[in-house]
Amino acid sequence: MYWTYLRRELAGRKKQTAVVAVGMAIAIALVIIVNSLSAGVRDAQAQALESVYGVGTDLTVTGAQAAPGEDGGGRGPMFDFDEDAGSTDDDGTTSLSQSRLMTDFMRGTLDASTLDTVTSIDGVAAASGALSLTNSTFDGELPSAPGGGGDGMPEPGQGGAPGGGGFGGGSFDIDSFTVLGIDSADSSVGPLSAAELTDGRALTGTDAAAYVAVLDETYATSSELSVGDVIDVGGAEFEVVGIVASTSAEADTAANVYVPLGVAQELSDAGDVVSTIYVQADSADEISAVQDALEEALPDATVSSQSDLASTVSTSLSSASALIGNLGTWLSIIVLAVAVALAILFTISGISRRTRELGTLKAIGWSNGRVVGQVAGESVVQALIGGIVGVVVGVVGVWVVNLIHPTISAAGSSQAGPGAGGAGGGFPGGGAPGGGFPGTDMAASAGEITLNAPLSLGIVLVAVALAVGAGLVAGAFGGWRAARLSPAEALRSVA
Amino acid sequence: MTMTETNAGATFATPTPAYRLGAVTKTYARNGRPVQALAGVDLEIAQGDFVTIQGPTGGGKSTLLQMLGALDTPTAGTVHLGGVDLAKASSSKLGDIRAREIGFVFQAFNLIPTLTAAENVDMGLEPLGLSKAERAERVREALAHVGLAERADHRPAELSGGQQQRVAVARAIAKRPRVLLADEPTGNLDESMRDEILAVLEQLNAEGLTLVVVTHDSAVARRARRRLRLERGTVRDITR
């Protein structure tokens, strides 16, 4: 009889049941979608992080950021042409082509011996150094510049960069790609630990001094390069021996071109330095202690943990995460609160409307507990109907998100420093369509990360539990009102 | 004579009273001022009697019915139903007594509109903890008793006022109560329906059920064996 009465009561007030159920459904659907999206954004962050720092990198050590012009701070791309450089046509136009390999602009480096210091610290399981470089190629024609010896292009980002028209008909391309010098003997720690070989072979210990390169698959495709081809890096020819791709299909690897560390140091004239040391701790528990020890041992370096790194990966990803985390959560809470408030209001008004009915039940011998149980049961079932509809809507919503595959830009920016953005835009002008200077290896990983919204049984169960909880809250209010009804009071309203 | 009415001074022996009320007083606070609804009522109602209670509005009829129906307890005095003093019983005990000993019939029928006639009758059996089969049998029996066996699956809105009140009577008697209390049972009915209900009530009384009916309707009162008048909280026998 309990269920018959409950079913008939809910069916008898369809509009009210529908309003509460719809409110609850929206809230529950929001909870599911927001939670799934949050999980998706977290996954995307982890993917972006892995593609940049590799799997298992717990900490990174980087050189302190250098101000422009400081020693060790690197420079913007600068091309030096001798008077004899290039070939000059009859009309005075000089054809020039030069490739330069430079450490990143405004980016400090670490002496290679730092790696030994890091490795010697307790709790460090493995460490690997890498040198982050940018290769810039100038290729084009210049008219005979007034008073010029063909000497010196202005640095980018300083406003003086001449466009194609600035030299009265000159035409040139500045092309650039990122180069990462890596320990060719061991890629278990570092950016390539999250990459897989798709063609050719990886760098090995015997490549330490060889002019061989491994390319990022996306870069190789866009540059129409494949294994066996030759690529110009810093004016030297490198044989492409392998192609790698990020294990997360949605992101590129950390740089465009990977070469042996020693070769990179030599070609860039950077000396025996690295820009980043990737550190793996013995265990997750020790990360914090290792970080402290590293900071103490290397006071001039910057030591970043995964969470530090996560916050630097992609501003848009972070803002998506913040949006979903804050707005989404608050929206869920507000809608849930409104749904609960509606359920409570309708339940209480229902009790007032049913004073005579409930009073009659008490008058014919129904116990208080039985009446309260009936009222609370109606609220719980009503909320549960909304909850189930909400779960269905939520699951469909998540399915739609996964069908649409929204993408989020996942450009890393921290290591590029404030100069990176400026450098990227520093070469306007029709003659320089090379795409500017990507700031660093981090920027090279810029990629569209496809956002997936993983749906877990846990989220669904939590959503259903929320609905039941909301129903219980509403039922408790209604039950409290019903319990206070005296059968005599109820009958008095009839008279 | 099966009733003792001491307000009027007369005393009669009643071997097995259904109710025995001793000096029942009920005082309410209304707008901060005490109102005495019952002023020392002494009353016995014998098993199997048919008693009507008449009187002006505000005279205490509903209050007395609430005392008899274990819906409320007196400010002072005793209300014995069988061997139990309702004035001293806990609220759960009162609920149990309402479930087993007392059948209620209300002026507005008080049926649950979403349930069928049979389901409404079943609601009265809910607290008894009977088996499903026993309940079904009692529901069928009660509806047959009031002549509505064919209407078991009809909802209240599909029944006439008289039929609805008969369903309410069936709900009250399905539990096989010691007494049936009715509050203006014909108040919402026209003359023919009133006779319909009175016929049912008289039949039940003839079968031994004790009836206490609060009514304004003198046609109903005339059918009773005992007629009481309640005025200014005191009761008086007006049976002639």
Side-chain angles (χ1 to χ4, degrees):
Chain A
M1 199 62 209
Y2 179 85
W3 294 108
T4 306
Y5 183 24
L6 193 151
R7 197 179 65 241
R8 296 283 176 74
E9 184 55 37
L10 292 183
R13 46 181 163 102
K14 286 193 183 70
K15 198 179 286 180
Q16 183 185 321
T17 304
V19 168
V20 172
V22 165
M24 200 61 70
I26 291 171
I28 295 304
L30 267 174
V31 166
I32 289 179
I33 292 172
V34 165
N35 271 290
S36 294
L37 278 176
S38 295
V41 170
R42 275 196 303 275
D43 287 353
Q45 274 182 324
Q47 274 180 14
L49 209 56
E50 277 187 6
S51 67
V52 175
Y53 297 99
V55 174
T57 298
D58 298 315
L59 298 163
T60 61
V61 181
T62 51
Q65 210 163 59
E70 254 182 60
D71 287 346
R75 297 182 302 161
M78 176 171 296
F79 298 96
D80 294 315
F81 297 108
D82 297 334
E83 284 191 26
D84 302 336
S87 57
T88 307
D89 291 347
D90 298 341
D91 61 359
T93 304
T94 305
S95 295
L96 293 168
S97 179
Q98 193 177 77
S99 190
R100 295 212 47 172
L101 193 59
M102 288 161 285
T103 54
D104 290 326
F105 188 48
M106 294 189 54
R107 178 81 181 278
T109 52
L110 300 162
D111 191 85
S113 65
T114 311
L115 184 59
D116 298 330
T117 312
V118 170
T119 313
S120 67
I121 283 175
D122 279 348
V124 172
S128 169
L131 180 59
S132 189
L133 302 166
T134 301
N135 186 88
S136 304
T137 305
F138 180 98
D139 189 11
E141 296 178 341
L142 293 176
S144 50
D151 184 359
M153 284 285 298
E155 291 195 14
Q158 295 182 347
F167 278 84
S171 162
F172 54 85
D173 272 341
I174 304 253
D175 195 9
S176 69
F177 53 84
T178 54
V179 177
L180 199 61
I182 55 169
D183 180 357
S184 58
D186 182 14
S187 63
S188 63
V189 183
L192 284 188
S193 61
E196 61 183 0
L197 201 62
T198 58
D199 196 13
R201 65 172 179 85
L203 298 180
T204 65
T206 57
D207 292 327
Y211 280 40
V212 289
V214 167
L215 306 187
D216 172 71
E217 190 178 41
T218 309
Y219 176 72
T221 306
S222 66
S223 303
E224 297 178 348
L225 290 166
S226 57
V227 173
D229 288 349
V230 171
I231 180 173
D232 183 333
V233 179
E237 290 190 339
F238 281 70
E239 185 195 352
V240 176
V241 295
I243 308 284
V244 291
S246 171
T247 46
S248 62
E250 288 79 13
D252 298 336
T253 62
N256 298 136
V257 177
Y258 299 87
V259 298
L261 178 60
V263 178
Q265 289 167 339
E266 179 193 328
L267 276 181
S268 64
D269 291 330
D272 203 12
V273 297
V274 292
S275 40
T276 305
I277 295 173
Y278 301 85
V279 182
Q280 193 171 44
D282 279 334
S283 73
D285 299 338
E286 293 183 45
I287 292 173
S288 165
V290 171
Q291 183 170 10
D292 291 345
L294 285 172
E295 281 169 350
E296 196 179 319
L298 305 165
D300 295 332
T302 303
V303 182
S304 309
S305 67
Q306 278 275 355
S307 55
D308 298 333
L309 301 178
S311 65
T312 70
V313 172
S314 167
T315 46
S316 65
L317 203 58
S318 300
S319 41
S321 175
L323 185 74
I324 292 168
N326 297 330
L327 182 67
T329 303
W330 279 111
L331 197 63
S332 303
I333 290 172
I334 288 167
V335 174
L336 194 64
V338 169
V340 171
L342 270 179
I344 292 172
L345 280 176
F346 278 131
T347 303
I348 289 178
S349 80
I351 302 301
S352 304
R353 186 174 47 79
R354 293 163 72 195
T355 297
R356 191 169 76 184
E357 177 179 315
L358 299 176
T360 302
L361 291 176
K362 287 190 176 185
I364 64 175
W366 280 42
S367 67
N368 237 346
R370 180 71 180 74
V371 173
V372 169
Q374 191 73 39
V375 169
E378 288 168 12
S379 292
V380 171
V381 169
Q382 189 170 255
L384 203 55
I385 292 170
I388 290 167
V389 172
V391 166
V392 171
V393 172
V395 168
V396 169
V398 167
W399 178 73
V400 168
V401 167
N402 288 331
L403 203 67
I404 294 171
H405 279 311
T407 54
I408 294 180
S409 162
S413 60
S414 70
Q415 300 212 5
F427 262 75
F437 288 88
T440 65
D441 56 337
M442 300 305 116
S445 74
E448 293 292 304
I449 288 192
T450 304
L451 189 60
N452 281 306
L455 186 65
S456 72
L457 184 65
I459 292 176
V460 172
L461 290 179
V462 165
V464 171
L466 274 176
V468 172
L472 281 173
V473 169
F477 274 93
W480 172 71
R481 275 293 294 266
R484 289 177 64 218
L485 278 178
S486 130
E489 290 285 338
L491 291 179
R492 194 171 292 163
S493 74
V494 183
Chain B
M1 185 65 74
T2 55
M3 188 203 72
T4 304
E5 185 272 290
T6 52
N7 286 67
T11 303
F12 300 92
T14 53
T16 51
Y19 281 108
R20 193 166 62 241
L21 280 65
V24 172
T25 303
K26 183 68 182 179
T27 307
Y28 295 108
R30 191 168 292 163
N31 299 328
R33 287 192 302 181
V35 175
Q36 194 165 51
L38 296 176
V41 172
D42 294 308
L43 178 67
E44 276 191 12
I45 299 176
Q47 197 71 47
D49 208 347
F50 179 0
V51 181
T52 57
I53 302 170
Q54 293 172 278
T57 301
K61 301 192 300 294
S62 292
T63 305
L64 179 59
L65 197 67
Q66 284 167 14
M67 300 301 141
L68 298 175
L71 298 175
D72 204 351
T73 49
T75 310
T78 57
V79 181
H80 281 95
L81 172 63
V84 180
D85 183 2
L86 303 183
K88 292 189 172 66
S90 67
S91 67
S92 68
K93 177 68 178 170
L94 291 178
D96 193 50
I97 287 168
R98 289 197 299 272
R100 296 173 190 283
E101 310 268 345
I102 301 166
F104 268 108
V105 175
F106 311 97
Q107 179 175 355
F109 325 139
N110 292 17
L111 299 176
I112 294 170
T114 53
L115 300 180
T116 64
E119 287 161 353
N120 265 290
V121 174
D122 200 12
M123 296 299 264
L125 299 176
E126 179 82 13
L128 299 185
L130 303 173
S131 72
K132 202 173 173 185
E134 168 87 350
R135 280 168 67 165
E137 175 56 25
R138 287 216 195 177
V139 168
R140 196 196 55 73
E141 198 178 82
L143 282 172
H145 214 122
V146 298
L148 286 175
E150 306 301 313
R151 299 298 190 104
D153 295 329
H154 288 238
R155 296 202 183 185
E158 298 164 339
L159 301 171
S160 70
Q163 287 170 331
Q164 288 185 53
Q165 193 61 299
R166 281 196 275 159
V167 172
V169 171
R171 177 178 64 189
I173 63 172
K175 66 175 77 165
R176 297 173 185 163
R178 184 192 292 262
V179 295
L180 182 69
L181 306 179
D183 183 16
E184 301 282 3
T186 58
N188 284 14
L189 303 176
D190 64 23
E191 208 165 297
S192 69
M193 289 181 183
R194 179 190 68 192
D195 292 342
E196 203 178 287
I197 289 300
L198 282 177
V200 169
L201 293 179
E202 283 182 318
Q203 186 198 340
L204 290 170
N205 180 243
E207 291 165 5
L209 183 61
T210 307
L211 293 183
V212 179
V213 180
V214 167
T215 185
H216 276 108
D217 190 342
S218 51
V220 175
R222 275 198 296 275
R223 309 277 191 108
R225 261 183 268 160
R226 286 286 105 206
R227 292 165 62 196
L228 301 179
R229 184 166 178 85
L230 196 58
E231 220 165 347
R232 290 195 284 274
T234 56
V235 72
R236 166 164 81 85
D237 187 355
I238 56 168
T239 314
R240 272 179 275 186

